[in-house]
Amino acid sequence: MRNFLKVLRRSVAVGAVALAALSLQPAGAQARPAQDDPRPTPGVIGGVPAAQGEFPWMVRLSMGCGGALYTKQIVLTAAHCVGGSGANTSITVTAGVVDLQSSQAVKVKSTRVLQAPGYNGVGKDWALIKLAQPIDLPTLKIADTTAYNDGTFTVAGWGATREGGAQSRVLLKADVPYVDDEACGGAYGSSLTPAEEICAGFLEEGGVDTCQGDSGGPMFRKDNAGAWIQVGIVSWGQGCARPGYPGVYTEVSTFASAIKSAAASLGG
Ligand code: ARG
């Protein structure tokens, strides 16, 4: 089971890269809902378009992943989106727009990547990307306690709008409820690392989820003061939006102090 899922995870990451290599098609080109699907707009999966400026810290990475501005010059993404740690000028970060083809898009290159120490394909799915220049947009703070690992979360990304489908040209968003470790472990068994991963989705019915190409993007909610706070990083799942198989996200609170010190080591 564990090996099977490891393979799945790897192929999913490769799939995202392959999809990104193709030119992005307008959302909907390959993303028609099923005939009897009552949802008006397919999205993340089961999502709707985000408004311009709604999630200003949301970025798209050129290898076909998402991310969030942790500082003006550092993006928090998934470890499986990057190849390792070190100098890296090959990633282009697109920010400031919901439409990736907008002429208003801000594009900045990477200079360095820091993959989570000890990452080996299981858990610890986080990485930082240092940018060549700061981007003048709001940042997304990360949860450093477990207080917000509950409730309803928002996810957003430019990934596939249905399992096996095309990437989205526009940023899509959806809300997904927390799924506790016991229920998520019931779906994924020992492939789940409960201390390092947090699950979300409609366990019974499926239908709403992140998917290939959303990886690295944030899962977030409002804190007690009404500000957005990041609780997860899109990591993996069995297929997308399938009943019985919630999305699995890196548990940000577990790694908050490691992320903070890693960002400091990159010079903030
Ligand atoms: N690993 C995928 C990626 O690279 C994300 C998959 C998320 N899957 C899910 N069912 N939530 O984009």
Side-chain angles (χ1 to χ4, degrees):
M1 184 65 169
R2 187 178 204 119
N3 278 339
F4 166 72
L5 279 163
K6 250 170 134 174
V7 167
L8 180 79
R9 240 176 284 193
R10 214 151 274 157
S11 67
V12 142
V14 169
V17 172
L19 282 166
L22 304 170
S23 68
L24 290 161
Q25 294 169 14
Q30 256 201 291
R32 280 170 284 108
Q35 288 294 321
D36 55 354
D37 190 328
R39 293 185 306 259
T41 319
V44 151
I45 286 184
V48 296
Q52 177 62 38
E54 190 175 7
F55 309 123
W57 21 258
M58 200 60 222
V59 303
R60 174 71 168 180
L61 306 179
S62 53
M63 84 293 276
C65 280
L69 290 173
Y70 173 69
T71 71
K72 291 192 189 298
Q73 209 169 345
I74 295 179
V75 169
L76 177 59
T77 187
H80 82 262
C81 289
V82 300
S85 296
N88 185 325
T89 56
S90 73
I91 302 167
T92 301
V93 174
T94 301
V97 289
V98 289
D99 178 352
L100 293 175
Q101 289 177 23
S102 166
S103 58
Q104 315 280 25
V106 175
K107 295 192 187 230
V108 177
K109 291 273 188 194
S110 61
T111 58
R112 278 198 93 68
V113 170
L114 193 159
Q115 195 179 42
Y119 175 70
N120 67 357
V122 176
K124 300 180 180 47
D125 197 5
W126 65 270
L128 297 177
I129 298 171
K130 177 89 188 232
L131 307 178
Q133 294 90 34
I135 298 179
D136 192 19
L137 284 168
T139 58
L140 178 59
K141 68 178 167 178
I142 62 172
D144 60 3
T145 75
T146 57
Y148 297 111
N149 294 347
D150 197 7
T152 296
F153 307 127
T154 301
V155 290
W158 291 270
T161 55
R162 55 183 299 178
E163 198 178 314
Q167 302 285 287
S168 179
R169 172 176 160 172
V170 298
L171 182 63
L172 299 167
K173 63 167 182 177
D175 285 348
V176 279
Y178 171 69
V179 172
D180 68 35
D181 288 344
E182 192 185 334
C184 197
Y188 292 120
S190 62
S191 295
L192 185 74
T193 308
E196 301 185 359
E197 294 173 323
I198 177 170
C199 304
F202 295 91
L203 188 60
E204 300 271 299
E205 57 272 47
V208 184
D209 197 5
T210 48
C211 198
Q212 279 88 339
D214 292 320
S215 274
M219 178 168 78
F220 47 95
R221 53 161 283 171
K222 292 277 179 77
D223 69 10
N224 291 336
W228 291 119
I229 187 164
Q230 183 172 0
V231 298
I233 300 169
V234 180
S235 183
W236 61 280
Q238 179 149 334
C240 304
R242 296 186 190 179
Y245 293 99
V248 183
Y249 298 79
T250 310
E251 190 168 310
V252 164
S253 59
T254 299
F255 299 106
S257 66
I259 290 167
K260 189 178 176 182
S261 56
S265 81
L266 291 175

